[in-house]
Amino acid sequence: MDADIFDQFIDQLGRYVRERLIPAEKDILESDVIPDAIVDEMRELGLFGLTTPEEYGGAAMTIAQYIRTIRTLSYAAPCYRSIVSINIGMVCSALKNGGTEEQKAEWLPRLAAGEIASFGLTEPGSGSDSAAMQTSAVKSGNGWVLNGTKRYITNAPFAKVALIMARTNKEALPKNAHVSAFIVPLDTPGISVGSPDKKMGQAGAHIADIIMEDVKLPADALLGGEEGRGFALAMKSLDNGRLSVGAAATGYARRALDSALRYANERKAFGEPIANFQLIQQMLADSEIEIYAAECMLEDAARRADAGENILRKAAAAKVFATEMCGRVVDRVVQIYGGAGYLAEYDAERFFRDARIYRIYEGTTQILQLQIAKHMLREWAAQA
């Protein structure tokens, strides 16, 4: 997207976040649902097709522009990013990187227009461990039959399509070649979606199980028309997904810090605003420092992605730092609020609950630490 047009878009989005999305948060907290009118407005703004090529109806943003957009959007409640990010950072990314021309032509325009998608990797007994994946896809005639259960799947209760990872070989193969990816309309016979799980936070963002029982799919449901590439495509799209989660955590940390700044200037103790107290100032300053560091990491990783670099390690590092940073910031914000920070009527309590998941989904901090170290050791061994 042209830089000047992008700057205008960010200004427009910032106003929309402040004037429309944040005022709607109270109703979402009570109903646990994003109003249909707001979802339609987000479609009209083009938020479901930010990085989709223009020929498929998208805005053709660079990765850097996309991450800046997510950071701006994530100043508001997390559910707003959640509903669009699976389309953009996960499913559309996998389609762009590995779909056939026919698959791109059919699905990218629909997803860019706001047809909501899910990404099915995690299972009751496996997440990052593909060798433990139980969902299977077996050839049947000219097509496939899927069986299995996917767990904690974002958007599942209202998604129209899911990208499902399934093993097409019973044996665990090198480079995870036993896993393939399938484009699965969720109204296909044999698919059922569980009730939305009750969560600690992130009201309006829904997750549920996707259960597949003898689900028959045509041959062209196989992403890219090739077996054994599903996990590789999933991991490549997770790079964008992890940058998106890092951007979400960074945008929300900024929101929490702004709230703490306002409270610290309004709340008085010993006859003066608590913002005058040096230990309060230390918590504010430490939060500002860490948010700035996360912003720089995200911008650098996104720029490298746009340049064609393999950013697996840097995306993991940015995600770990940004999400752990957000956890520290919201903890400080509760502390700045004091006793009020523990009460549901104040925002600090919600920020604390909402932020906790960022360190878990799309790669826990611990799994990503292992991944980063593994690649460091592999590079060291290659140079030795």
Side-chain angles (χ1 to χ4, degrees):
M1 178 182 282
D2 176 80
D4 290 338
I5 294 174
F6 176 71
D7 288 342
Q8 294 172 15
F9 170 79
I10 285 294
D11 288 342
Q12 178 189 16
L13 180 61
R15 289 194 300 272
Y16 181 68
V17 165
R18 294 188 302 272
E19 297 170 8
R20 177 64 166 140
L21 298 187
I22 289 176
E25 289 176 354
K26 184 175 184 295
D27 289 339
I28 292 172
L29 287 169
E30 294 174 355
S31 67
D32 196 25
V33 174
I34 304 175
D36 289 342
I38 287 182
V39 177
D40 287 341
E41 291 165 7
M42 293 171 74
R43 290 186 176 111
E44 291 172 10
L45 281 169
L47 294 180
F48 286 87
L50 296 175
T51 60
T52 301
E54 290 180 356
E55 61 264 36
Y56 298 114
M61 284 187 182
T62 65
I63 299 300
Q65 289 172 336
Y66 165 57
I67 294 306
R68 172 83 183 280
T69 300
I70 291 298
R71 197 150 50 85
T72 302
L73 179 64
S74 298
Y75 193 82
C79 60
Y80 299 121
R81 181 206 74 99
S82 181
I83 200 169
V84 303
S85 65
I86 302 300
N87 277 42
I88 306 164
M90 309 289 283
V91 180
C92 286
S93 177
L95 277 164
K96 285 193 301 178
N97 291 331
T100 65
E101 291 305 315
E102 292 78 12
Q103 288 168 340
K104 293 177 185 178
E106 178 178 0
W107 289 104
L108 286 178
R110 294 166 63 173
L111 294 170
E115 189 166 313
I116 296 170
S118 285
F119 186 85
L121 176 62
T122 303
E123 297 184 1
S126 72
S128 303
D129 178 13
S130 72
M133 184 179 293
Q134 295 298 309
T135 297
S136 65
V138 178
K139 285 184 178 178
S140 176
N142 293 326
W144 300 86
V145 176
L146 263 63
N147 281 282
T149 298
K150 296 296 181 180
R151 178 145 295 173
Y152 309 138
I153 305 304
T154 301
N155 291 346
F158 37 78
K160 300 298 183 184
V161 62
L163 190 64
I164 299 291
M165 305 300 130
R167 62 189 313 144
T168 45
N169 193 304
K170 292 182 180 179
E171 302 299 323
L173 300 178
K175 297 183 178 179
N176 299 294
H178 55 286
V179 179
S180 301
F182 294 85
I183 305 167
V184 184
L186 291 182
D187 59 358
T188 305
I191 292 180
S192 57
V193 176
S195 299
D197 293 303
K198 294 182 179 179
K199 311 186 307 303
M200 178 189 293
Q202 302 223 354
H206 293 174
I207 61 173
D209 289 358
I210 297 177
I211 302 103
M212 294 159 286
E213 298 176 298
D214 294 328
V215 177
K216 296 178 180 178
L217 297 174
D220 61 7
L222 177 64
L223 184 66
E226 184 180 344
E227 291 182 47
R229 295 185 63 219
F231 199 79
L233 289 168
M235 291 302 101
K236 188 171 179 61
S237 65
L238 274 175
D239 287 344
N240 285 344
R242 286 166 180 165
L243 290 180
S244 174
V245 174
T250 304
Y252 209 48
R254 175 65 66 191
R255 167 81 178 280
L257 180 57
D258 285 349
S259 173
L261 272 168
R262 183 173 59 253
Y263 186 83
N265 279 284
E266 294 172 352
R267 174 77 166 89
K268 291 187 177 181
F270 307 103
E272 59 181 312
I274 63 171
N276 292 348
F277 302 154
Q278 289 183 340
L279 290 178
I280 295 292
Q281 292 173 6
Q282 180 186 27
M283 288 189 282
L284 294 172
D286 284 348
S287 298
E288 174 67 22
I289 291 164
E290 291 195 89
I291 290 171
Y292 175 56
E295 290 171 348
C296 291
M297 289 180 74
L298 289 164
E299 288 176 6
D300 178 69
R303 178 183 56 79
R304 291 173 182 271
D306 283 326
E309 290 187 30
N310 182 337
I311 63 158
L312 185 150
R313 200 165 89 191
K314 288 181 169 55
K319 195 267 185 185
V320 168
F321 183 84
T323 57
E324 293 287 341
M325 171 278 294
C326 185
R328 292 188 292 270
V329 168
V330 296
D331 185 72
R332 293 185 194 115
V333 169
V334 170
Q335 196 71 12
I336 290 168
Y337 269 73
Y342 203 69
L343 302 181
E345 67 180 282
Y346 291 89
D347 286 340
E349 180 265 353
R350 167 166 62 102
F351 297 151
F352 189 86
R353 288 185 293 105
D354 284 346
R356 188 60 185 86
I357 189 62
Y358 290 138
R359 289 181 270 169
I360 296 173
Y361 62 17
E362 294 190 35
T364 65
T365 291
Q366 289 69 35
I367 284 292
L368 295 182
Q369 287 170 326
L370 290 174
Q371 190 178 70
I372 291 165
K374 180 178 72 174
H375 283 82
M376 291 171 63
L377 292 168
R378 185 182 296 166
E379 287 181 10
W380 182 87
Q383 294 167 3

